[in-house]
Structures are given as structure tokens and as C-alpha cells.
Amino acid sequence: MMLKVIPVGILSVNCSVILDEEEGKAVVIDPGADAERIEEAMDGFELQAIICTHGHIDHVGQVKTLKEKYRVPFYMHRSDLFLINDPIWPGFEKQIGCALPCPEPDEFLEDGSEIKVGSISLEVLYTPGHTPGLCCLYMKDHGVLIAGDLLFKGSVGRWDLPGGNLEDLKKSLARVFKELPDDTLVICGHYEETTIGHERVFNPYLRSLL
Ligand SMILES: [Zn+2]
Ligand SMILES: [Zn+2]
């Protein structure tokens, strides 16, 4: 397994491109902008699935482009359907490089389900709060969590955008910190990566929660 994390668009959304070198297959998570750079990262591999951690347009912004070209299934949780074409602020989609309308998912993510592509195995953790449908993708064998906007280095996802809920966010964070080992690498929805262990100690938002 090879993981390439590509910051895309002016909001630096971390798009994860996961490559299975044995079978030449690829999975893309959160293709928010810059479709050409995402395609470059998976050059020589066959795209099998597009997954979005949640429905905010900065994360789904190039699903349309990739789906039209590669005709592969798009996975997302059903509770975020109302967000995938909501610009939140007028004209925001143009500023951040989205190609809307985003198509509806072909498959819905469910807590505890598993997506398998070649030797890549992604476990779905349903962790709402930032949005009602946010899911993390966990590669247990490799100790990697793709967390979307649940958690950031030194911060947590905002809960004031459409559909956000602070109580749900707290429960989801508590769950992730209870279930995952400290050495888990966390790919956040934006900016730097971190680990569960680092955030457990240094993240001020988690102090009262864990
Ligand atoms: Zn978001
Ligand atoms: Zn985001």
C-alpha cells in the first residue's frame, strides 16, 4: 500500500490517494479540487472507488469530474446528501475550484462496514458532529486514520456550519480516542498530519473530553 496525501485547492483539503502496488488499483478520498493533480498521483493505477469523508463542497468538489471520466462508484454517508451541492456562502464553489453539481453517491457508507480494493481495506467509522454524516476511514493494518474534518492537529472540526452538532462531535472524538491506538497516524481534512497519541496530550479541545 502506498498513501499519497495531496493538499488540493485554496483550502488545502487533504486528498488521499491510496495505491495498491500489487494489483495496480487506486482509491481516492476527498477529491475536493485540482483533479489533474489527483490524476497525476494515480497515474499507472486503475481507479476503483471515490470516497468522501463528508459532504462539504470543499471535499466533494471534483467527484463529478472523476466520476464522469472513470465511471467508478462514489461512496459517502447518506446523512450528508443535503450538503453536496450547498455552497454555504454565495459563490464559494467558484472560489475553491468545485465542479458542481456533485453526483449523488452510488453507495452509502455505514458504520462498521469495510471497503476492499485489492489489498486495500478501509474500515468505516461513523463519527458525526462536524456534519451529520462524517465518516473516518481506518486502515487498521497500516495504523492510518483518514479523519476528514473530525480532528486537526491542535484543533477539532468546526460545528457551526450547516448540520454541525457539538454534542455529536464530542461523542465521536471520545469514541475515536477510546478505540484507536496512540501510534495511529491521522490524516486530517486540512493541513498537517498528526497521531492519536500526540493529540491526546497536546490538543486543548480534548482536555475535558477524554
Ligand atoms: Zn468540512
Ligand atoms: Zn474541510
Short mmCIF file of all heavy atoms in Angstrom, two decimals, residues 30-68:
data_model
loop_
_atom_site.label_atom_id
_atom_site.label_comp_id
_atom_site.label_asym_id
_atom_site.label_seq_id
_atom_site.Cartn_x
_atom_site.Cartn_y
_atom_site.Cartn_z
N ASP A 30 -11.75 12.19 -0.74
CA ASP A 30 -11.90 13.65 -0.67
C ASP A 30 -11.22 14.42 -1.82
O ASP A 30 -10.36 15.28 -1.60
CB ASP A 30 -11.40 14.18 0.69
CG ASP A 30 -12.37 13.88 1.83
OD1 ASP A 30 -13.47 13.36 1.56
OD2 ASP A 30 -12.02 14.16 2.99
N PRO A 31 -11.66 14.14 -3.05
CA PRO A 31 -11.12 14.89 -4.19
C PRO A 31 -11.81 16.25 -4.32
O PRO A 31 -12.71 16.44 -5.14
CB PRO A 31 -11.46 13.98 -5.39
CG PRO A 31 -12.73 13.30 -4.98
CD PRO A 31 -12.68 13.16 -3.48
N GLY A 32 -11.39 17.21 -3.51
CA GLY A 32 -12.10 18.48 -3.40
C GLY A 32 -11.84 19.48 -4.51
O GLY A 32 -12.70 20.29 -4.84
N ALA A 33 -10.65 19.44 -5.09
CA ALA A 33 -10.27 20.39 -6.14
C ALA A 33 -9.05 19.80 -6.88
O ALA A 33 -8.59 18.70 -6.54
CB ALA A 33 -9.91 21.75 -5.52
N ASP A 34 -8.54 20.54 -7.88
CA ASP A 34 -7.30 20.14 -8.57
C ASP A 34 -7.33 18.70 -9.09
O ASP A 34 -6.40 17.90 -8.82
CB ASP A 34 -6.08 20.30 -7.64
CG ASP A 34 -5.85 21.74 -7.22
OD1 ASP A 34 -6.39 22.65 -7.89
OD2 ASP A 34 -5.14 21.96 -6.23
N ALA A 35 -8.35 18.37 -9.86
CA ALA A 35 -8.50 16.99 -10.36
C ALA A 35 -7.26 16.51 -11.12
O ALA A 35 -6.88 15.34 -11.01
CB ALA A 35 -9.74 16.89 -11.25
N GLU A 36 -6.58 17.42 -11.84
CA GLU A 36 -5.43 16.97 -12.65
C GLU A 36 -4.30 16.48 -11.75
O GLU A 36 -3.61 15.51 -12.08
CB GLU A 36 -4.87 18.08 -13.55
CG GLU A 36 -5.89 18.93 -14.29
CD GLU A 36 -6.57 19.95 -13.39
OE1 GLU A 36 -5.85 20.67 -12.67
OE2 GLU A 36 -7.82 20.00 -13.37
N ARG A 37 -4.11 17.14 -10.62
CA ARG A 37 -3.04 16.71 -9.71
C ARG A 37 -3.38 15.37 -9.06
O ARG A 37 -2.50 14.55 -8.80
CB ARG A 37 -2.78 17.80 -8.65
CG ARG A 37 -2.10 19.01 -9.27
CD ARG A 37 -1.86 20.12 -8.24
NE ARG A 37 -1.17 19.63 -7.07
CZ ARG A 37 -1.57 19.89 -5.80
NH1 ARG A 37 -2.65 20.61 -5.58
NH2 ARG A 37 -0.89 19.42 -4.79
N ILE A 38 -4.66 15.14 -8.81
CA ILE A 38 -5.08 13.85 -8.25
C ILE A 38 -4.84 12.75 -9.29
O ILE A 38 -4.33 11.68 -8.97
CB ILE A 38 -6.57 13.92 -7.84
CG1 ILE A 38 -6.75 14.96 -6.72
CG2 ILE A 38 -7.08 12.55 -7.40
CD1 ILE A 38 -8.20 15.36 -6.45
N GLU A 39 -5.17 13.05 -10.54
CA GLU A 39 -4.97 12.06 -11.61
C GLU A 39 -3.49 11.75 -11.80
O GLU A 39 -3.12 10.60 -12.02
CB GLU A 39 -5.56 12.59 -12.92
CG GLU A 39 -7.07 12.63 -12.90
CD GLU A 39 -7.65 13.04 -14.24
OE1 GLU A 39 -7.65 12.21 -15.16
OE2 GLU A 39 -8.06 14.21 -14.36
N GLU A 40 -2.65 12.77 -11.68
CA GLU A 40 -1.20 12.54 -11.79
C GLU A 40 -0.72 11.58 -10.71
O GLU A 40 0.12 10.72 -10.95
CB GLU A 40 -0.46 13.87 -11.56
CG GLU A 40 0.10 14.52 -12.80
CD GLU A 40 0.59 15.92 -12.47
OE1 GLU A 40 1.38 16.08 -11.50
OE2 GLU A 40 0.14 16.87 -13.15
N ALA A 41 -1.27 11.75 -9.50
CA ALA A 41 -0.83 10.93 -8.36
C ALA A 41 -1.22 9.47 -8.53
O ALA A 41 -0.59 8.60 -7.95
CB ALA A 41 -1.42 11.48 -7.07
N MET A 42 -2.27 9.21 -9.33
CA MET A 42 -2.67 7.81 -9.51
C MET A 42 -2.33 7.31 -10.91
O MET A 42 -2.83 6.27 -11.35
CB MET A 42 -4.17 7.64 -9.21
CG MET A 42 -5.07 8.45 -10.10
SD MET A 42 -6.80 8.22 -9.61
CE MET A 42 -7.61 8.83 -11.09
N ASP A 43 -1.42 7.99 -11.57
CA ASP A 43 -1.03 7.62 -12.93
C ASP A 43 -0.47 6.19 -12.95
O ASP A 43 0.38 5.85 -12.14
CB ASP A 43 0.01 8.62 -13.45
CG ASP A 43 0.29 8.41 -14.92
OD1 ASP A 43 -0.65 8.03 -15.65
OD2 ASP A 43 1.45 8.61 -15.35
N GLY A 44 -0.95 5.38 -13.86
CA GLY A 44 -0.48 4.00 -13.96
C GLY A 44 -1.32 3.04 -13.12
O GLY A 44 -1.12 1.83 -13.17
N PHE A 45 -2.22 3.57 -12.31
CA PHE A 45 -3.10 2.73 -11.48
C PHE A 45 -4.53 2.89 -11.97
O PHE A 45 -4.89 3.91 -12.57
CB PHE A 45 -3.00 3.18 -10.01
CG PHE A 45 -1.67 2.86 -9.39
CD1 PHE A 45 -0.55 3.65 -9.64
CD2 PHE A 45 -1.53 1.75 -8.56
CE1 PHE A 45 0.69 3.35 -9.07
CE2 PHE A 45 -0.30 1.44 -7.99
CZ PHE A 45 0.80 2.24 -8.24
N GLU A 46 -5.33 1.88 -11.67
CA GLU A 46 -6.72 1.90 -12.12
C GLU A 46 -7.62 2.34 -10.96
O GLU A 46 -7.73 1.64 -9.96
CB GLU A 46 -7.09 0.48 -12.56
CG GLU A 46 -8.26 0.40 -13.50
CD GLU A 46 -8.57 -1.07 -13.81
OE1 GLU A 46 -7.62 -1.84 -14.00
OE2 GLU A 46 -9.77 -1.41 -13.82
N LEU A 47 -8.27 3.48 -11.11
CA LEU A 47 -9.16 3.97 -10.06
C LEU A 47 -10.36 3.04 -9.90
O LEU A 47 -11.00 2.67 -10.89
CB LEU A 47 -9.64 5.40 -10.39
CG LEU A 47 -10.53 6.06 -9.33
CD1 LEU A 47 -9.80 6.26 -8.01
CD2 LEU A 47 -11.07 7.42 -9.84
N GLN A 48 -10.64 2.66 -8.63
CA GLN A 48 -11.73 1.72 -8.36
C GLN A 48 -12.87 2.36 -7.57
O GLN A 48 -14.01 1.88 -7.63
CB GLN A 48 -11.20 0.53 -7.54
CG GLN A 48 -10.12 -0.24 -8.23
CD GLN A 48 -10.66 -1.09 -9.35
OE1 GLN A 48 -11.57 -1.88 -9.17
NE2 GLN A 48 -10.12 -0.91 -10.55
N ALA A 49 -12.56 3.38 -6.76
CA ALA A 49 -13.60 3.96 -5.91
C ALA A 49 -13.24 5.38 -5.51
O ALA A 49 -12.06 5.72 -5.35
CB ALA A 49 -13.78 3.11 -4.66
N ILE A 50 -14.27 6.20 -5.36
CA ILE A 50 -14.14 7.56 -4.84
C ILE A 50 -14.92 7.60 -3.53
O ILE A 50 -16.08 7.18 -3.49
CB ILE A 50 -14.75 8.59 -5.81
CG1 ILE A 50 -14.07 8.52 -7.19
CG2 ILE A 50 -14.64 10.01 -5.22
CD1 ILE A 50 -14.87 9.23 -8.29
N ILE A 51 -14.27 8.06 -2.46
CA ILE A 51 -14.94 8.11 -1.16
C ILE A 51 -14.85 9.54 -0.64
O ILE A 51 -13.80 10.18 -0.78
CB ILE A 51 -14.24 7.17 -0.15
CG1 ILE A 51 -14.14 5.75 -0.71
CG2 ILE A 51 -14.99 7.16 1.19
CD1 ILE A 51 -13.30 4.79 0.14
N CYS A 52 -15.93 10.05 -0.04
CA CYS A 52 -15.83 11.35 0.64
C CYS A 52 -16.14 11.15 2.11
O CYS A 52 -17.11 10.47 2.47
CB CYS A 52 -16.77 12.37 0.00
SG CYS A 52 -16.14 12.90 -1.61
N THR A 53 -15.29 11.75 2.96
CA THR A 53 -15.48 11.65 4.41
C THR A 53 -16.76 12.35 4.83
O THR A 53 -17.40 11.97 5.79
CB THR A 53 -14.30 12.29 5.16
OG1 THR A 53 -14.14 13.66 4.73
CG2 THR A 53 -13.01 11.52 4.93
N HIS A 54 -17.11 13.43 4.10
CA HIS A 54 -18.35 14.16 4.39
C HIS A 54 -18.74 14.99 3.19
O HIS A 54 -18.02 15.04 2.19
CB HIS A 54 -18.23 14.99 5.67
CG HIS A 54 -17.23 16.09 5.64
ND1 HIS A 54 -15.88 15.87 5.51
CD2 HIS A 54 -17.38 17.44 5.76
CE1 HIS A 54 -15.24 17.03 5.55
NE2 HIS A 54 -16.12 18.01 5.68
N GLY A 55 -19.91 15.65 3.27
CA GLY A 55 -20.49 16.27 2.08
C GLY A 55 -20.14 17.72 1.83
O GLY A 55 -20.65 18.31 0.86
N HIS A 56 -19.31 18.35 2.64
CA HIS A 56 -18.95 19.75 2.37
C HIS A 56 -18.30 19.88 1.00
O HIS A 56 -17.49 19.03 0.60
CB HIS A 56 -17.99 20.29 3.45
CG HIS A 56 -18.70 20.71 4.69
ND1 HIS A 56 -18.10 20.69 5.93
CD2 HIS A 56 -19.96 21.17 4.88
CE1 HIS A 56 -18.97 21.12 6.84
NE2 HIS A 56 -20.12 21.42 6.23
N ILE A 57 -18.64 20.96 0.31
CA ILE A 57 -18.23 21.05 -1.10
C ILE A 57 -16.72 21.13 -1.29
O ILE A 57 -16.21 20.75 -2.34
CB ILE A 57 -18.91 22.21 -1.86
CG1 ILE A 57 -18.65 23.56 -1.18
CG2 ILE A 57 -20.40 21.93 -2.03
CD1 ILE A 57 -18.98 24.74 -2.10
N ASP A 58 -15.98 21.57 -0.24
CA ASP A 58 -14.51 21.57 -0.41
C ASP A 58 -13.95 20.15 -0.46
O ASP A 58 -12.83 19.94 -0.92
CB ASP A 58 -13.80 22.41 0.66
CG ASP A 58 -14.15 22.03 2.08
OD1 ASP A 58 -15.28 21.60 2.34
OD2 ASP A 58 -13.27 22.20 2.95
N HIS A 59 -14.73 19.14 -0.03
CA HIS A 59 -14.28 17.74 -0.06
C HIS A 59 -14.86 16.96 -1.24
O HIS A 59 -14.26 15.99 -1.69
CB HIS A 59 -14.60 17.06 1.27
CG HIS A 59 -13.83 17.64 2.41
ND1 HIS A 59 -12.76 17.02 3.00
CD2 HIS A 59 -13.94 18.86 3.03
CE1 HIS A 59 -12.25 17.81 3.94
NE2 HIS A 59 -12.96 18.94 3.99
N VAL A 60 -16.04 17.36 -1.73
CA VAL A 60 -16.66 16.63 -2.85
C VAL A 60 -16.48 17.33 -4.21
O VAL A 60 -16.95 16.83 -5.22
CB VAL A 60 -18.19 16.40 -2.61
CG1 VAL A 60 -18.45 15.72 -1.27
CG2 VAL A 60 -19.00 17.70 -2.71
N GLY A 61 -15.76 18.45 -4.20
CA GLY A 61 -15.75 19.37 -5.35
C GLY A 61 -15.37 18.80 -6.70
O GLY A 61 -15.78 19.32 -7.73
N GLN A 62 -14.56 17.73 -6.73
CA GLN A 62 -14.17 17.16 -8.04
C GLN A 62 -14.65 15.72 -8.22
O GLN A 62 -14.18 15.02 -9.12
CB GLN A 62 -12.65 17.25 -8.23
CG GLN A 62 -12.15 18.69 -8.48
CD GLN A 62 -12.70 19.29 -9.77
OE1 GLN A 62 -12.96 18.59 -10.75
NE2 GLN A 62 -12.90 20.59 -9.78
N VAL A 63 -15.62 15.30 -7.41
CA VAL A 63 -16.21 13.98 -7.61
C VAL A 63 -16.81 13.88 -9.01
O VAL A 63 -16.64 12.89 -9.72
CB VAL A 63 -17.30 13.68 -6.54
CG1 VAL A 63 -18.08 12.42 -6.88
CG2 VAL A 63 -16.67 13.56 -5.15
N LYS A 64 -17.50 14.93 -9.41
CA LYS A 64 -18.16 14.97 -10.73
C LYS A 64 -17.14 14.70 -11.86
O LYS A 64 -17.35 13.84 -12.71
CB LYS A 64 -18.81 16.33 -10.92
CG LYS A 64 -19.50 16.56 -12.25
CD LYS A 64 -20.11 17.96 -12.19
CE LYS A 64 -20.53 18.63 -13.42
NZ LYS A 64 -20.91 18.03 -14.59
N THR A 65 -16.03 15.42 -11.82
CA THR A 65 -15.01 15.29 -12.87
C THR A 65 -14.46 13.86 -12.92
O THR A 65 -14.36 13.25 -14.00
CB THR A 65 -13.84 16.26 -12.60
OG1 THR A 65 -14.38 17.56 -12.39
CG2 THR A 65 -12.84 16.28 -13.73
N LEU A 66 -14.12 13.31 -11.76
CA LEU A 66 -13.52 11.98 -11.72
C LEU A 66 -14.54 10.89 -12.09
O LEU A 66 -14.21 9.93 -12.78
CB LEU A 66 -12.91 11.69 -10.34
CG LEU A 66 -11.73 12.58 -9.94
CD1 LEU A 66 -11.23 12.21 -8.55
CD2 LEU A 66 -10.57 12.49 -10.95
N LYS A 67 -15.77 11.07 -11.62
CA LYS A 67 -16.80 10.06 -11.93
C LYS A 67 -17.13 10.01 -13.41
O LYS A 67 -17.29 8.96 -14.00
CB LYS A 67 -18.08 10.37 -11.14
CG LYS A 67 -18.37 9.36 -10.07
CD LYS A 67 -19.82 9.34 -9.66
CE LYS A 67 -20.60 8.41 -10.54
NZ LYS A 67 -20.71 7.04 -10.06
N GLU A 68 -17.20 11.20 -14.01
CA GLU A 68 -17.52 11.25 -15.44
C GLU A 68 -16.42 10.60 -16.27
O GLU A 68 -16.67 9.95 -17.27
CB GLU A 68 -17.76 12.70 -15.89
CG GLU A 68 -19.15 13.18 -15.48
CD GLU A 68 -19.39 14.67 -15.74
OE1 GLU A 68 -18.47 15.35 -16.25
OE2 GLU A 68 -20.52 15.13 -15.44
#
